[in-house]
Amino acid sequence: MTITAGAFTFVSDLLQQHAAIVLSPGKEYLVESRLMPLARQIGLDDVGALVARLQSRPDDALRRQIVEAMTTNETSFFRDRDPFNAFSQAILPDLCKERSATHRLNVWSAACSSGQEPYSIAMSIVDHPLMTPDWQVEVLATDLNEEMLERARQARYSQLEVNRGLPVAMLVRHFERAETDWRVVPAVRGIVRFKQLNLAEAFDIPQMDVIFLRNVLIYFRPSTKVEVLKRVRRILRPDGYLFLGGAETTLGLDDAFERVMVGSTTAYRHKGARPMQMPSRLSAAVAGAGLSALPRPGSTLGPTPGSAVRGVASASHPPPPVGWPFQASTNNSISSQGRR
Amino acid sequence: MVIDDSSAMRLILGRIMRSLGFDVVEAPNGAEAIARLQSGAMPEIALVDWNMPVMDGLAFVNAVRREEKWRQITLMMVTTESEQSQIVRALAAGAHEYVIKPFTPDAIADKLALLGVLAY
């Protein structure tokens, strides 16, 4: 379903007037996806009805809500950051060791929306020094909404979207320009597989090492949450990891999970799972945010999976030395790569 | 420090930074920003436009990075320059982060958090 041209123009003008944001033609899906929850929340059937209501009478509160819904990005790259740090710095090293015989890794991004989460996971994997090219990795990205999946498959993001949560070093490493947008490079896209899936119904997917099921359970009734968690538990490998949203838990819903702290974030595991090998301290910065692997101007952009050891950057200062990051990459030492 | 030749952009960025708890000084180009630094200003972070008269943002970043005493200043480009090669140039010169206009206030806050100058 797509909103009418008139409704799109109305929202577009509203954004330009009140948030100085230009919404280019072709972004109807963005208006739909951002405004549908608001329409539902106030008891309207669709975005067209929401726009019609504002057009029919001045309503400052509603206008503000619409602008906020359009400018507040509910999903962004590396959203909440901590789960991704835990994934890169603790879970991937742990699983790389445990899966050294098979060199296979399966990660599931449930409710992947417009794709930022699975691509963030994929970027973390591609950047990880232990993930050499002989690993068979798949990030399964599912969503109920086929339109959202199609958008995610396109892997194309606006300037506003790549400004959110994505370290610029990762932007230049893992994206290429596509007119005024940015598109995820094939090396990252290639490990993500999209599939339509309704979490509230029985599903058949492979066993998973890590599951990102974040900010989904909050939309379900308690009885559905129990069912979803039971199904998720069945496909989570015995020593796998489950991430939920910050406001979600398995407590009181599924006692076969136990809560573990990974750095400053929480993950869930099967009760009695083998202990993980945890690094003594996790960096607060997004792993791979370090600029040491930046391409030189004029060089071919895009990563080679597992081809470069990338230091985990620290968010602390001081700023880089003159000539950095290329000076650091010449030295090729972890400590110099890690400076920022 | 907000460095931009557009007074409207300085106003917008200044407002965002104040709302995040920063004190803000402004400069309309790189040369004036350097003059402010030379007269003792020591900002935690500088938001730097690229295309400005007198001294552009890239020249400013290069000038700051040449001076040991200004090494602690975090530099973030905030610019309409969106070519990959330009971004790489700015980062190679010593900018830490890069925001491409247009942006939302959240984008600025996100990037400051990535840089560790703002708590998540």
Side-chain angles (χ1 to χ4, degrees):
Chain A
M1 183 179 57
T2 311
I3 60 168
T4 63
F8 177 77
T9 305
F10 181 81
V11 174
S12 184
D13 290 347
L14 197 70
L15 273 184
Q16 187 147 18
Q17 280 169 30
H18 297 282
I21 288 171
V22 179
L23 204 58
S24 52
K27 301 288 186 202
E28 285 81 0
Y29 67 88
L30 199 64
V31 176
E32 276 280 343
S33 61
R34 298 279 176 80
L35 296 187
M36 185 55 112
L38 179 61
R40 290 276 160 79
Q41 191 188 322
I42 58 178
L44 299 170
D45 285 342
D46 54 33
V47 175
L50 181 73
V51 170
R53 174 173 290 195
L54 189 58
Q55 283 172 319
S56 67
R57 58 170 193 257
D59 182 339
D60 281 350
L62 183 60
R63 174 182 54 73
R64 219 171 17 247
Q65 280 179 298
I66 290 176
V67 172
E68 269 173 24
M70 287 303 302
T71 55
T72 305
N73 207 339
E74 284 306 324
T75 182
S76 63
F77 291 100
F78 298 96
R79 185 181 175 190
D80 304 329
R81 201 171 54 160
D82 288 341
F84 294 97
N85 288 340
F87 177 68
S88 286
Q89 297 176 41
I91 292 174
L92 271 182
D94 177 68
L95 289 174
C96 278
K97 197 166 181 186
E98 287 299 318
R99 308 284 186 269
S100 59
T102 60
H103 274 210
R104 293 178 80 102
L105 187 75
N106 290 82
V107 183
W108 179 23
S109 166
C112 68
S113 184
S114 41
Q116 283 91 335
E117 181 175 87
Y119 290 127
S120 298
I121 295 167
M123 285 187 269
S124 302
I125 292 171
V126 165
D127 274 344
H128 204 282
L130 296 175
M131 299 305 299
T132 46
D134 53 333
W135 277 78
Q136 287 184 50
V137 179
E138 183 177 86
V139 179
L140 175 67
T142 66
D143 202 276
L144 176 64
N145 186 326
E146 193 54 66
E147 276 181 61
M148 272 301 187
L149 281 172
E150 189 44 43
R151 154 133 170 76
R153 277 188 198 102
Q154 295 298 317
R156 211 177 150 128
Y157 298 94
S158 70
Q159 202 66 73
L160 286 172
E161 289 168 314
V162 298
N163 270 340
R164 292 291 316 276
L166 185 69
V168 70
M170 296 187 106
L171 174 70
V172 291
R173 209 154 58 220
H174 297 307
F175 288 75
E176 55 201 3
R177 289 309 299 260
E179 289 121 31
T180 57
D181 292 338
W182 293 82
R183 189 160 194 227
V184 180
V185 293
V188 174
R189 287 205 311 270
I191 63 170
V192 184
R193 180 167 69 92
F194 292 95
K195 177 184 161 78
Q196 200 265 344
L197 185 142
N198 185 353
L199 286 166
E201 294 171 358
F203 47 78
D204 179 26
I205 59 174
Q207 291 279 296
M208 292 290 159
D209 299 296
V210 186
I211 298 174
F212 287 74
L213 180 73
R214 304 191 308 141
N215 308 303
V216 190
L217 291 178
I218 45 172
Y219 294 105
F220 293 133
R221 288 193 300 262
S223 59
T224 312
K225 288 181 189 179
V226 169
E227 286 303 311
V228 171
L229 282 173
K230 193 198 285 180
R231 284 193 284 271
V232 163
R233 181 160 47 76
R234 281 192 200 127
I235 61 149
L236 182 66
R237 289 213 166 93
D239 62 347
Y241 297 84
L242 166 68
F243 285 111
L244 300 178
E248 298 165 329
T249 179
T250 61
L251 294 176
L253 297 168
D254 192 329
D255 294 339
F257 280 109
E258 71 180 348
R259 192 171 176 269
V260 293
M261 288 304 292
V262 186
S264 52
T265 196
T266 302
Y268 296 86
R269 307 189 75 198
H270 290 283
K271 244 179 200 161
R274 66 163 175 79
M276 80 180 299
Q277 294 163 25
M278 175 84 82
S280 54
R281 185 177 162 273
L282 303 193
S283 161
V286 170
L291 306 183
S292 55
L294 269 180
R296 290 169 188 275
S299 70
T300 305
L301 294 163
T304 306
S307 63
V309 175
R310 292 163 175 122
V312 173
S314 157
S316 63
H317 296 268
V322 177
W324 177 92
F326 304 126
Q327 190 180 57
S329 71
T330 307
N331 295 340
N332 200 30
S333 71
I334 297 283
S335 58
S336 61
Q337 287 179 355
R339 289 189 71 167
R340 76 173 288 158
Chain B
M1 180 177 280
V2 174
I3 311 164
D4 199 304
D5 59 330
S6 154
S7 57
M9 190 50 69
R10 290 199 305 274
L11 186 71
I12 291 169
L13 283 170
R15 249 186 223 154
I16 293 170
M17 294 302 281
R18 283 186 194 95
S19 75
L20 295 171
F22 290 88
D23 293 325
V24 177
V25 290
E26 296 177 10
N29 60 59
E32 287 208 23
I34 291 288
R36 279 178 170 271
L37 294 181
Q38 281 167 338
S39 63
M42 184 53 78
E44 190 178 353
I45 181 161
L47 309 187
V48 189
D49 184 23
W50 190 308
N51 297 304
M52 295 180 287
V54 189
M55 177 191 269
D56 70 19
L58 187 65
F60 172 79
V61 169
N62 279 316
V64 168
R65 285 293 166 251
R66 274 196 295 271
E67 292 288 338
E68 184 65 29
K69 64 188 176 199
W70 294 334
R71 278 178 53 115
Q72 296 301 318
I73 303 171
T74 298
L75 300 172
M76 182 160 87
M77 303 300 290
V78 182
T79 170
T80 52
E81 286 290 342
S82 63
E83 287 307 312
Q84 248 164 332
S85 56
Q86 294 291 72
I87 298 174
V88 172
R89 273 180 80 198
L91 297 177
H96 295 80
E97 259 300 342
Y98 202 104
V99 174
I100 303 165
K101 297 171 184 172
F103 55 83
T104 60
D106 289 343
I108 299 290
D110 268 5
K111 293 282 189 175
L112 295 178
L114 280 175
L115 290 166
V117 295
L118 190 70
Y120 251 88

